[in-house]
């Protein structure tokens, strides 16, 4: 089988790459190892900027019709229990930030990619086909047998455990630029309506625990920490969750018999690691496969959809030139650098600072607790 483009993975990155290219008229095959809808371990916070991009790809009507739980405030809680609240300032966006379970969010994007003309197939991709140093397709298990699909361009959007990235860039991300995180859902919690909460405390700094409401009385709850610290301190994520739920400020919000369900852990590769290659002869990596998660917030959906859109722009230029070699695709790395690196570098700097002077968190949040204007300015800068 010969296609114009094969997109491996139908998460936010894969679906955006597939829809953008299908809308340009290319013959796109999108493969995912799972049928949709499917869960993805995540905090489910989708920033307004990411939704703006989806609007620009024709999803506005579908998104407005979907039942998203919108967010307009955020709260930081310091190690000593000071709290700082601020409004999300999103007037410059057309969309609003939302908490949307990935079970619901991802299928919306995957379906829009199909509606845009991409073909979707359930297939476990095993590896890229590489001939004379150039990627020219993938080998995949489909219905129990192995088959090959060929295309001049493969987009690796298969997440943090990407088989495309592993084959092309075998060196691992460094532990200091990675994190581990746990996500659960809780029913019967007294949520703060339309407000996300971040708990910063000594045991997991510069990571944090979160409570993100998904509906009245329900929330996505979890925590994440840097992998090097997690390993050196020998932590266990499930025990950390139990201790978080046992904090007086959290425990009093859980109604008797509150159910904690769908507890699961996953890994994150930050975009703060320098010199990570994301374009190859015949292939580009996008989203988590490219290691593009924000090192301070752990958010990756925005960078996933942005990188996918940049890869689609690059792919279109490559088709016009008829050149899919690295020299043609490397401009994608420059686009990513220009668009994503400045905020990545700032977030990395703040994350390291929090690790070095954790007491400053208490001071800042204490100040913001009694000074609204300071809280608003501080959160906006963050
Ligand atoms: C606990 C946790 C909480 C997080 N919270 C947030 C948050 O609140 N907000 C936020 O913005 N980001 C958050 N993130 C990060 C976010 O989840 C990712 O950045 C985002 O999912 C990246 O999208 P993606 O499309 O690149 O990859 P994914 O969403 O991982 O999609 C990859 C797809 O590829 C498929 N796939 C994988 N391997 C193969 C294969 N071999 N063959 C075929 N298909 C394959 C998978 O089934 C999957 O559908 C969180 C991450 C974690 C771990």
């Amino acid at each position: 089988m010969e296609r114009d483009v094969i997109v491996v993975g139908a998460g936010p990155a894969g679906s955006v790459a597939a829809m953008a290219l299908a809308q340009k008229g290319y013959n796109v095959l999108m493969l995912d190892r799972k049928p949709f809808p499917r869960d993805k371990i995540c905090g489910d916070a989708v920033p307004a900027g990411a939704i703006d991009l989806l609007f620009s790809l024709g999803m506005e009507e579908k998104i407005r019709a979907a039942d998203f739980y919108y967010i307009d405030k955020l709260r930081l809680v310091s190690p000593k229990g000071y709290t700082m609240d601020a409004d999300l300032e999103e007037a410059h966006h057309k969309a609003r930030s939302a908490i949307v379970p990935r079970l619901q969010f991802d299928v919306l994007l995957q379906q829009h990619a199909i509606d845009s003309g991409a073909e979707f197939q359930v297939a476990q991709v095993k590896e890229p086909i590489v001939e004379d140093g150039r990627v020219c397709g993938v080998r995949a298990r489909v219905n129990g047998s192995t088959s090959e699909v060929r295309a001049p361009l493969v987009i690796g959007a298969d997440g943090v455990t990407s088989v495309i990235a592993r084959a092309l860039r075998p060196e691992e991300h460094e532990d200091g630029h990675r994190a581990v995180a746990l996500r659960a859902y809780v029913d019967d919690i007294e949520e703060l309506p339309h407000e996300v909460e971040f708990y910063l405390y000594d045991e997991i700094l510069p990571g944090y625990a979160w409570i993100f409401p998904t509906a009245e009385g329900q929330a996505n709850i979890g925590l994440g920490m840097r992998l090097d610290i997690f390993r050196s301190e020998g932590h266990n994520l499930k025990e950390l969750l139990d201790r978080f739920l046992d904090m007086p400020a959290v425990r009093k919000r859980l109604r008797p018999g509150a159910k904690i369900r769908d507890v699961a852990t996953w890994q994150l590769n930050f975009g703060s690691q320098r010199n990570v290659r994301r374009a190859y002869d015949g292939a580009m990596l996008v989203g988590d496969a490219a290691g593009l998660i924000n090192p301070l917030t752990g958010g990756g959906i925005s960078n996933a959809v942005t990188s996918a859109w940049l890869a689609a722009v690059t792919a279109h230029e490559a088709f016009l030139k008829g050149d899919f070699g690295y020299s043609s695709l490397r401009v994608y790395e420059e686009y990513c650098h220009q668009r994503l690196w400045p905020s990545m570098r700032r977030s990395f700097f703040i994350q390291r600072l929090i690790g070095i002077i954790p007491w400053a968190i208490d001071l800042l949040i204490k100040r913001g607790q009694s000074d609204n204007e300071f809280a608003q300015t501080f959160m906006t800068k963050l």
Side-chain angles (χ1 to χ4, degrees):
M1 269 195 293
E2 182 82 38
R3 306 294 179 133
D4 292 333
V5 185
I6 299 166
V7 178
V8 183
S15 289
V16 163
M19 70 178 77
L21 285 165
Q23 286 171 12
K24 288 251 174 249
Y26 295 107
N27 179 340
V28 180
L29 177 65
M30 178 168 63
L31 304 171
D32 201 290
R33 63 184 168 192
K34 293 195 182 152
F36 278 57
R38 60 98 183 89
D39 186 24
K40 154 75 177 78
I41 301 156
C42 188
D44 301 334
V46 186
I51 303 179
D52 277 351
L53 192 138
L54 299 175
F55 280 7
S56 74
L57 287 163
M59 289 195 69
E60 182 164 356
E61 207 175 304
K62 285 177 181 152
I63 288 176
R64 294 209 190 275
D67 191 18
F68 283 11
Y69 187 89
Y70 290 102
I71 292 298
D72 44 39
K73 278 178 90 79
L74 60 84
R75 167 174 288 189
L76 287 187
V77 183
S78 83
K80 289 200 173 128
Y82 300 113
T83 59
M84 175 198 276
D85 295 280
D87 296 329
L88 283 186
E89 291 188 354
E90 302 195 317
H92 55 294
H93 291 294
K94 195 170 176 192
R96 293 166 66 198
S97 295
I99 308 298
V100 197
R102 295 287 297 273
L103 192 68
Q104 177 192 352
F105 181 69
D106 287 21
V107 71
L108 208 62
L109 275 65
Q110 181 245 12
Q111 188 56 50
H112 190 67
I114 296 168
D115 295 346
S116 300
E119 186 187 335
F120 175 75
Q121 192 163 18
V122 177
Q124 169 96 32
V125 173
K126 291 294 176 193
E127 58 187 358
I129 302 169
V130 184
E131 286 171 0
D132 300 326
R134 175 180 288 254
V135 176
C136 47
V138 298
R139 251 173 229 109
R141 294 285 290 172
V142 187
N143 296 329
S145 56
T146 302
S147 55
E148 291 192 353
V149 198
R150 286 176 179 263
L153 190 59
V154 171
I155 296 183
D158 45 344
V160 71
T161 57
S162 167
V163 292
I164 305 298
R166 203 182 318 137
L168 301 177
R169 172 165 57 83
E171 67 277 8
E172 287 250 316
H173 242 64
E174 295 159 16
D175 284 2
H177 294 277
R178 301 177 74 192
V180 282
L182 174 150
R183 182 269 352 235
Y185 289 102
V186 58
D187 300 322
D188 298 316
I189 186 170
E190 224 173 86
E191 90 288 359
L192 300 182
H194 304 284
E195 179 161 7
V196 284
E197 300 172 66
F198 298 84
Y199 290 76
L200 304 152
Y201 55 97
D202 297 334
E203 206 171 16
I204 58 172
L205 277 177
Y208 64 87
W210 69 82
I211 301 177
F212 293 170
T214 51
E216 194 184 333
Q218 294 174 3
N220 178 315
I221 193 163
L223 50 87
M225 63 185 297
R226 231 170 56 205
L227 184 60
D228 54 339
I229 301 172
F230 176 79
R231 286 201 210 276
S232 71
E233 303 199 351
H235 280 308
N236 172 311
L237 287 175
K238 182 70 181 59
E239 286 170 12
L240 285 172
L241 176 71
D242 290 342
R243 285 204 283 280
F244 174 59
L245 294 173
D246 215 28
M247 283 181 185
V250 178
R251 196 170 2 113
K252 71 177 186 203
R253 310 246 308 271
L254 295 172
R255 300 196 188 109
K259 279 191 217 67
I260 309 292
R261 57 181 168 85
D262 302 324
V263 181
T265 60
W266 200 235
Q267 30 177 323
L268 302 89
N269 285 352
F270 296 148
S272 46
Q273 185 165 317
R274 285 177 180 275
N275 302 324
V276 172
R277 212 171 141 184
R278 300 188 170 106
Y280 299 83
D281 283 319
M284 287 179 276
L285 301 173
V286 296
D288 279 11
L292 283 173
I293 289 190
N294 182 292
L296 180 65
T297 64
I301 296 172
S302 185
N303 290 345
V305 297
T306 303
S307 61
W309 183 74
L310 294 171
V313 169
T314 308
H316 181 54
E317 290 166 358
F319 273 103
L320 294 178
K321 285 186 275 186
D323 180 359
F324 306 95
Y326 177 61
S327 59
S328 166
L329 301 181
R330 68 182 301 175
V331 68
Y332 164 65
E333 296 179 326
E334 284 162 32
Y335 292 157
C336 282
H337 189 81
Q338 283 162 15
R339 279 290 286 271
L340 307 178
W341 182 250
S343 84
M344 208 69 90
R345 190 177 48 194
R346 203 183 77 229
S347 294
F348 180 63
F349 175 73
I350 299 171
Q351 185 237 78
R352 292 288 143 143
L353 210 60
I354 291 173
I356 297 165
I357 46 167
W359 47 266
I361 298 289
D362 269 312
L363 281 183
L364 289 166
I365 297 182
K366 188 178 178 190
R367 165 102 194 263
Q369 184 168 286
S370 55
D371 181 344
N372 263 352
E373 205 176 314
F374 173 82
Q376 201 59 49
T377 311
F378 177 73
M379 298 286 218
T380 312
K381 294 268 178 284
L382 217 60

